[in-house]
């Protein structure tokens, strides 16, 4: 159990499940708690360390969204607008967040809603540890929650309880004029913020050690040309700071602070560490269309969220190594960056090697990796020639005649007869018996066949490794070379 001073006396700040089962609750005077449980283990609360841990947690949440903020005293706001599709939808996003918080050792309650107030109320006072409030359903979702969910001060809550207004539903149907005369406008404002009638701006947290540049304006801006000018001003100092650190940018947020107190963020990522000014300026410039200036933008900041070591000096589109050798990997990285930021990082994919010797399973289509070495390995060729196009499933063919070495001399695909001029093979590939016992002992014999018309086909004959039981020996066309 933790205790602290509330300004008048020592009180219980936090308890574990065992203490709560014996009646010790937060807010209880420490002397009373010790009288209830004589052998109660008590430690002093450390609010400064708790606040520092909460800031670290907020910074960790930047992987999910560029707009994260502290929800005092123990919560985190995450603006996930436009982020859920990157995680496979809202349910998948919440599941991933919950799993990672649990892996970090945090007990958590998560709520997703249209407004920060509704999300905070459901997370702290809702019935389920993970809750999704349907869009526009804040009034119904909060009706049964206590008025404490509106983040009101203790004096106001106690006064409302004495009036019989103990739930949010009771408060929203009560006449407003008498409540405003007695309690002021703060309570009504909190109610309207939770329901979405009044916007609640969230000031996002900036990572303490982030590389960043910020510009404020005498007059608000709102045109694409003005935003582009500011981007061109922000990028050079950020790249200079990265150069001094020997690092490159991997993930950055362009924060636009609007005059109405709201904040919009535009996130860009790179496939490899980058500090090339023209390239980053172009990446951010391509996202200007997604910026909604509203009544105007009064300040903009470029914040590097993730950076990595960059051991080479980068010029436009080319990497120059210390020995003077040039690499064209940057050209590919620049192209990947532009595609990822234009159509979405999950839509730019490449073929990665997969641990299987069957051709149809030897590669998998996965998002492009951020590491150049992994991308290079993904493009490595297999040890034997493979067709540029595979058929799924393989097409059955009829082999009419065989060459002396067992290769097809004449085969029919569909209604067309193909006469083979030369063939290379066989390449024997065994079925993966550990996937299904029924394929134990089966194998394929692959041939690359060139016809008299110059076409090249990749054919295989299905059989068994046991020559005494050769299987059906049927032929298939698996690809075009």
């Amino acid at each position: 159990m933790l205790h602290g001073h509330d300004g008048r006396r020592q009180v219980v700040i936090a308890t574990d499940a065992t203490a709560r089962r014996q009646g010790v609750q937060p807010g209880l005077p420490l002397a009373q708690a010790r009288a209830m449980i004589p052998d109660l283990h008590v430690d002093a609360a450390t609010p400064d360390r708790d606040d520092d841990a909460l800031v670290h947690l907020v910074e960790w949440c930047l992987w999910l969204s560029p707009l994260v903020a502290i929800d005092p005293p123990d919560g985190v706001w995450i603006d996930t607008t436009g982020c859920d599709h990157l995680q496979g939808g809202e349910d998948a996003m919440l599941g991933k967040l919950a799993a990672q918080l649990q892996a970090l050792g945090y007990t958590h309650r998560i709520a997703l809603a249209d407004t920060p107030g509704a999300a905070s109320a459901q997370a702290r006072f809702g019935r389920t540890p993970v809750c999704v409030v349907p869009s526009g359903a804040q009034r119904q979702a909060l009706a049964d929650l206590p008025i404490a969910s509106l983040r009101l001060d203790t004096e106001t809550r106690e006064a409302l309880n004495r009036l019989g207004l103990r739930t949010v539903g009771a408060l929203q149907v009560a006449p407003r004029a008498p409540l405003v005369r007695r309690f002021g406008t703060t309570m009504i404002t909190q109610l309207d913020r939770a329901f979405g009638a009044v916007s609640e701006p969230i000031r996002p947290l900036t990572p303490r050690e982030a590389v960043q540049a910020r510009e404020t304006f005498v007059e608000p801006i709102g045109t694409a040309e003005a935003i582009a000018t500011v981007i061109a001003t922000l990028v050079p100092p950020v790249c200079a700071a990265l150069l001094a650190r020997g690092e490159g940018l991997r993930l950055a947020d362009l924060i636009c602070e609007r005059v109405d107190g709201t904040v919009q963020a535009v996130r860009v990522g790179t496939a490899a560490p980058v500090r090339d000014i023209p390239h980053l300026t172009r990446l951010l410039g391509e996202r200007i269309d997604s910026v909604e200036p509203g009544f105007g933008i009064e300040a903009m900041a470029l914040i590097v969220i993730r950076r990595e070591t960059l051991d080479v000096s980068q010029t436009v589109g080319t990497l120059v190594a210390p020995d003077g050798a040039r690499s064209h990997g940057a050209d590919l990285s620049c192209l990947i960056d532009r595609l990822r930021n234009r159509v979405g990082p999950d839509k730019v994919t490449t073929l990665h090697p997969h641990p299987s010797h069957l051709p149809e399973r030897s590669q998998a289509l996965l998002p492009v990796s951020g590491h150049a070495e992994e991308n290079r390995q993904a493009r490595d060729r297999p040890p034997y020639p493979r067709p540029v196009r595979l058929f799924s499933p393989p097409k059955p063919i009829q082999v009419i005649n065989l060459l002396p070495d067992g290769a097809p001399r004449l085969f029919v695909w569909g209604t067309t007869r193909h006469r083979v001029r030369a063939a290379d093979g066989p390449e024997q590939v065994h079925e993966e018996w550990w996937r299904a016992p029924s394929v134990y002992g089966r194998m394929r014999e692959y041939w690359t066949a060139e016809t008299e018309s110059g076409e090249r086909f990749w054919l295989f004959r299905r059989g068994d490794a046991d020559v005494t039981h050769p299987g059906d020996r049927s032929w298939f066309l698996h690809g075009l070379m």
Side-chain angles (χ1 to χ4, degrees):
M1 189 198 76
L2 300 178
H3 71 89
H5 204 279
D6 67 350
R8 297 178 299 171
R9 57 188 176 180
Q10 291 288 335
V11 298
V12 176
I13 300 298
T15 63
D16 60 10
T18 303
R20 287 195 296 271
R21 284 195 295 268
Q22 299 188 47
V24 179
Q25 299 292 334
L28 189 71
L30 179 60
Q32 183 178 348
R34 281 176 165 162
M36 296 171 60
I37 308 176
D39 58 345
L40 184 65
H41 179 76
V42 179
D43 288 323
T46 54
D48 292 340
R49 293 175 60 185
D50 292 342
D51 293 343
D52 187 65
L54 183 58
V55 172
H56 277 289
L57 181 60
V58 174
E59 292 175 341
W60 174 83
C61 291
L62 285 168
W63 67 268
L64 181 57
S65 169
L67 298 180
V68 294
I70 295 176
D71 179 23
D74 55 0
V76 180
W77 269 315
I78 307 175
D79 187 348
T80 61
T81 304
C83 300
D84 59 292
H85 73 282
L86 301 176
Q87 311 298 331
E90 292 181 349
D91 293 337
M93 177 182 67
L94 295 180
K96 183 176 181 180
L97 178 60
Q100 295 202 23
L101 287 173
Q102 185 174 0
L104 292 175
Y106 286 104
T107 301
H108 55 271
R109 294 178 61 87
I110 304 174
L112 183 65
D114 288 346
T115 64
S120 177
Q122 278 290 343
R124 289 187 168 88
F125 296 90
R127 295 185 177 89
T128 58
V130 178
C131 171
V132 177
V133 178
S135 181
Q138 296 90 272
R139 292 179 180 271
Q140 298 85 344
L142 304 186
D144 295 333
L145 300 185
I147 57 173
S149 63
L150 296 177
R151 296 167 287 160
L152 303 176
D153 60 83
T154 303
E155 184 179 351
T156 301
R157 295 200 305 269
E158 292 176 351
L160 290 172
N161 284 328
R162 288 194 297 269
L163 294 175
L165 301 175
R166 296 182 174 84
T167 64
V168 176
L171 187 60
Q172 64 178 305
V173 299
R176 289 198 167 196
L179 293 175
V180 171
R181 284 196 299 268
R182 181 165 180 175
F183 300 102
T185 59
T186 301
M187 177 187 61
I188 298 301
T189 300
Q190 289 294 91
L191 186 66
D192 288 340
R193 283 177 171 177
F195 295 157
V198 176
S199 63
E200 181 174 2
I202 294 179
R203 184 64 57 183
L205 181 75
T206 301
R208 288 168 290 189
E209 298 181 359
V211 175
Q212 60 178 307
R214 189 172 186 272
E215 291 286 344
T216 58
F217 318 124
V218 177
E219 294 290 337
I221 64 172
T223 64
E225 293 78 9
I227 296 174
T229 301
V230 177
I231 290 175
T233 304
L234 295 174
V235 172
V238 167
C239 291
L242 292 171
L243 178 62
R245 292 169 173 259
E247 297 173 331
L249 177 151
R250 285 296 313 280
L251 188 68
D253 293 330
L254 181 67
I255 306 296
C256 303
E257 304 173 15
R258 296 183 285 215
V259 295
D260 60 356
T262 59
V263 178
Q264 183 183 8
V266 175
R267 171 163 287 186
V268 297
T270 61
V274 172
R275 56 173 178 255
D276 176 46
I277 294 176
H279 178 51
L280 293 177
T281 302
R282 181 168 54 186
L283 281 183
L284 292 165
E286 291 176 346
R287 300 296 306 278
I288 291 178
D289 291 343
S290 63
V291 176
E292 298 178 1
F295 295 106
I297 299 173
E298 61 182 4
M300 291 176 62
L302 179 61
I303 304 174
V304 179
I305 301 301
R306 188 163 67 245
R307 58 187 188 271
E308 293 179 2
T309 301
L310 183 59
D311 296 327
V312 294
S313 60
Q314 187 173 34
T315 62
V316 178
T318 306
L319 293 180
V320 183
D323 60 359
R326 290 178 175 266
S327 169
H328 297 288
D331 296 328
L332 180 60
S333 296
C334 292
L335 175 62
I336 292 174
D337 293 344
R338 297 188 66 185
L339 291 175
R340 283 161 56 99
N341 287 284
R342 179 170 296 182
V343 302
D346 57 328
K347 294 182 173 62
V348 183
T349 58
T350 186
L351 289 173
H352 282 248
H354 188 264
S356 175
H357 53 261
L358 290 181
E360 61 269 26
R361 295 176 182 165
S362 61
Q363 291 180 315
L365 196 63
L366 299 174
V368 172
S369 169
H371 299 282
E373 180 63 20
E374 292 183 12
N375 290 331
R376 186 194 66 78
Q377 292 176 358
R379 297 188 299 273
D380 285 346
R381 294 183 178 182
Y384 299 101
R386 291 291 182 261
V388 295
R389 179 185 177 187
L390 282 179
F391 292 112
S392 179
K395 306 295 183 181
I397 60 174
Q398 181 181 2
V399 174
I400 298 177
N401 196 3
L402 296 176
L403 292 171
D405 57 358
R409 182 193 299 273
L410 181 69
F411 69 92
V412 179
W413 177 29
T415 59
T416 306
R417 297 164 65 96
H418 298 273
R419 186 173 296 277
V420 177
R421 178 170 56 190
D424 183 21
E427 175 191 347
Q428 294 184 345
V429 176
H430 289 259
E431 296 274 1
E432 297 176 339
W433 54 266
W434 56 89
R435 292 181 178 269
S438 60
V439 301
Y440 180 79
R442 292 185 183 178
M443 60 174 290
R444 303 175 186 176
E445 290 185 347
Y446 278 92
W447 297 82
T448 299
E450 181 177 333
T451 64
E452 293 180 349
S453 60
E455 297 175 292
R456 288 192 173 188
F457 298 90
W458 204 41
L459 314 175
F460 74 85
R461 176 170 52 191
R462 188 170 61 190
D464 294 338
D466 186 357
V467 295
T468 60
H469 298 84
D472 59 6
R473 312 295 285 177
S474 53
W475 284 86
F476 295 86
L477 170 60
H478 204 170
L480 304 178
M481 301 295 287

